[in-house]
């Protein structure tokens, strides 16, 4: 993170209007982090003359996370949500919660473990409760293998030193081609692991993705890399229950709507999700909403998923 000297904190606060809320940031600190924002508040644009700017394409939570990162070196993700415990005797259809393409879920929760063969997807695949060897898993990779595949070559992240003592195999230091982000900025509490299908992690995932998109647009490369790394570790510690496929679908939809393909060999959010779809292929392929997403998308999502399937077949 760029170092802040005394001049930063003696600079005038600049006012941003986000979702109708007023947020103040030292103009000097903005200049250290983002060239586009610096031109807006310290250049000859109208916003600089009126000493405030209204940003339409970022939400309050994302901008506050940017401010947290700018002032302290880290940002805090959104909280997960716990859904109400289902009432006794109320069963969902086919023993599972119905999810839709938008990642939203109905209020019918699993009361009893479904049978191993009762749910079939568009692909005609049975989806067991704990898919360890399905037609789409091709010998589902272990977490260690997933980590190994997520290398500097694909994500631009080098996992060589771990600040997370709880999980020694998670060796990582954020290292980019153009920016070295100090490891001290990453020495934070490891992401919490989810504990059951009633825990909705959609906003946790999306908070990292939104920070990534904002950082990419405002040319804040270290923040973009940190958001990517934070989401990576969150997904790595996340257990994907069948009932929670909608959370991942919401993340996939947001990512492919708000990002572009960065090109072969260039790390990015799409690359991470492509790896994740490959890792959780057995679970996702058995979800009807995911199948519907692939059919309705017919573009980048489908292409990346099929590319992952082809690579596994080979």
């Amino acid at each position: 993170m760029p170092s802040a000297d005394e001049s930063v904190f003696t600079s005038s606060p600049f006012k941003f209007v986000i979702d109708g809320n007023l947020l103040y940031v030292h103009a000097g600190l903005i200049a250290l982090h983002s060239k586009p924002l610096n031109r807006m508040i310290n250049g000859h644009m109208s916003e600089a003359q009126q000493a405030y700017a209204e940003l339409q394409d970022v939400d309050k939570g994302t901008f506050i996370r940017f401010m947290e990162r700018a002032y302290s070196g880290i940002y805090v993700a959104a909280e997960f949500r716990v859904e109400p415990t289902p009432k006794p005797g109320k069963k969902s259809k086919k023993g599972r919660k119905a999810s839709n393409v938008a990642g939203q879920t109905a209020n019918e929760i699993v009361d009893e473990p479904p049978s191993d063969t009762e749910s079939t997807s568009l692909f005609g695949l049975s989806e067991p409760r704990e898919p360890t060897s399905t037609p789409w898993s091709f010998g589902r990779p272990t977490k260690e293998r997933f980590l190994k595949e997520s290398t500097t070559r694909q994500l631009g992240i080098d996992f060589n030193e771990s600040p997370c003592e709880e999980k020694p195999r998670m060796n990582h230091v954020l290292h980019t081609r153009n920016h070295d982000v100090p490891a001290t900025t990453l020495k934070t509490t490891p992401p919490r692991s989810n504990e059951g299908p009633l825990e909705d992690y959609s906003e946790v995932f999306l908070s990292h993705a939104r920070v990534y998109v904002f950082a990419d647009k405002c040319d804040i490369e270290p923040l973009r890399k940190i958001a990517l790394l934070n989401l990576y570790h969150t997904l790595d510690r996340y257990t994907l229950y069948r009932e929670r496929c909608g959370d991942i679908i919401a993340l996939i939809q947001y990512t492919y709507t708000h990002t572009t393909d960065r090109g072969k060999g260039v790390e990015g959010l799409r690359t991470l999700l492509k790896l994740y779809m490959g890792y959780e292929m057995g679970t996702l392929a058995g979800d009807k909403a995911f199948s519907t997403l692939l059919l309705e998308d017919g573009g980048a999502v489908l292409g990346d998923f099929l590319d992952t399937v082809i690579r596994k077949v080979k």
Side-chain angles (χ1 to χ4, degrees), residues 107-141:
N107 291 324
E108 294 182 310
I109 313 297
V110 172
D111 286 317
E112 299 177 358
S115 67
D116 287 351
T117 60
E118 65 182 6
S119 175
T120 56
S121 73
L122 170 70
F123 301 95
L125 303 176
S126 297
E127 184 59 27
R129 178 71 176 178
E130 294 295 337
T132 55
S133 182
T134 70
W136 287 90
S137 63
F138 302 100
R140 188 184 185 197

Side-chain angles (χ1 to χ4, degrees), residues 144-204:
E144 287 83 359
R145 179 178 170 187
F146 174 58
L147 288 169
K148 185 176 180 181
E149 291 176 351
S150 303
T151 59
T152 303
R153 179 178 61 83
Q154 298 191 61
L155 291 180
I157 298 175
D158 185 18
F159 303 93
N160 294 319
E161 181 180 330
S162 176
C164 302
E165 297 181 357
E166 295 180 13
K167 203 170 186 181
R169 65 180 178 79
M170 300 257 318
N171 299 321
H172 57 270
V173 163
L174 189 63
H175 178 75
T176 72
R177 294 178 179 82
N178 301 313
H179 297 272
D180 291 327
V181 179
T184 53
T185 66
L186 303 177
K187 293 184 180 297
T188 58
T189 302
R192 172 189 180 277
S193 300
N194 61 322
E195 298 178 353
L198 293 180
E199 294 184 350
D200 182 347
Y201 261 60
S202 57
E203 281 302 312
V204 180

